[in-house]
């Protein structure tokens, strides 16, 4: 597909991941997000799902944070009034959302992304350890395990 590069300061086109997931008769190419650290040339990067709509400036203060990596741990569903923490697997592991991640170029963040890749490359092993279904790759699970380690 083509990209309207006039609206972006810089467009980085990466190869389509070799692996993909089937979900409800649709193919999702959601592997290789763990390579975002390698692909990004920026000192601070905002990694956002393509189906996440940014409709204002609420994310801008994240760029001023001194934290090397930020991700959401709570979620507030549309029809619910309270935020909650999702858990996954038979171990009830706290889930960090890979939907929106902001990160800098520190050694800590490089380590997180390296472990994220390791989890992705050995997903069936980690699914067995943490007790979740490995048939559909979840970046949220892989990031959560990387942050746990």
């Amino acid at each position: 597909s083509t990209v309207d590069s006039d609206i972006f300061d810089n467009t980085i086109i990466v190869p389509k991941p070799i692996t993909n997931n089937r979900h409800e008769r649709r193919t999702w190419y959601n592997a290789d997000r763990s390579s975002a650290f390698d692909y990004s040339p920026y000192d601070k990067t905002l990694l956002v799902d393509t189906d996440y709509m940014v409709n204002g400036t609420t994310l801008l203060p994240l760029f001023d944070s001194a934290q090397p990596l930020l991700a959401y741990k709570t979620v507030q569903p549309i029809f619910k009034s309270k935020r909650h923490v999702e858990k996954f697997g038979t171990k009830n592991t706290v889930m960090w959302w890979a939907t929106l991640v902001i990160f800098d170029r520190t050694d800590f963040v490089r380590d997180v992304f390296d472990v994220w890749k390791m989890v992705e490359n050995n997903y069936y092993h980690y699914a067995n350890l943490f007790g979740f279904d490995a048939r559909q790759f979840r970046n949220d699970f892989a990031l959560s395990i990387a942050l746990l380690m």
Side-chain angles (χ1 to χ4, degrees):
S1 68
T2 60
V3 175
D4 183 2
S5 59
D6 294 344
I7 62 171
F8 299 105
D9 293 334
N10 188 7
T11 304
I12 301 166
I13 309 261
V14 299
K16 184 186 289 186
I18 295 169
T19 58
N20 61 63
N21 291 294
R22 301 275 311 159
H23 180 68
E24 297 179 6
R25 298 181 305 275
R26 294 187 181 122
T27 302
W28 291 6
Y29 292 96
N30 66 337
D32 206 32
R33 186 178 311 189
S34 58
S35 295
F37 185 91
D38 301 324
Y39 290 134
S40 176
Y42 301 108
D43 292 335
K44 197 162 260 198
T45 300
L46 179 64
L47 176 61
V48 183
D49 273 5
T50 58
D51 62 351
Y52 184 91
M53 297 183 75
V54 179
N55 292 318
T57 60
T58 58
L59 299 177
L60 287 177
L62 299 178
F63 285 96
D64 295 327
S65 173
Q67 294 296 320
L69 186 141
L70 296 168
Y72 283 101
K73 185 168 66 172
T74 60
V75 63
Q76 183 171 344
I78 294 173
F79 298 111
K80 304 277 183 173
S81 61
K82 288 180 78 174
R83 292 178 176 225
H84 68 277
V85 174
E86 293 277 332
K87 296 185 179 181
F88 66 94
T90 57
K91 311 287 190 241
N92 286 321
T93 305
V94 170
M95 188 171 80
W96 291 86
W97 291 87
T99 302
L100 190 143
V101 179
I102 189 163
F103 61 90
D104 64 18
R105 311 261 340 140
T106 60
D107 290 338
F108 166 75
V109 174
R110 178 182 298 281
D111 290 345
V112 169
F113 275 85
D114 285 347
V115 174
W116 188 348
K117 282 182 203 173
M118 181 184 68
V119 172
E120 183 174 336
N121 292 331
N122 299 283
Y123 198 65
Y124 285 94
H125 170 70
Y126 287 98
N128 187 43
L129 283 177
F130 286 83
F132 60 85
D133 186 352
R135 290 179 291 179
Q136 180 184 348
F137 176 71
R138 292 280 310 265
N139 275 294
D140 306 312
F141 294 178
L143 173 61
S144 298
I145 294 167
L147 289 170
L148 183 64
M149 296 191 338

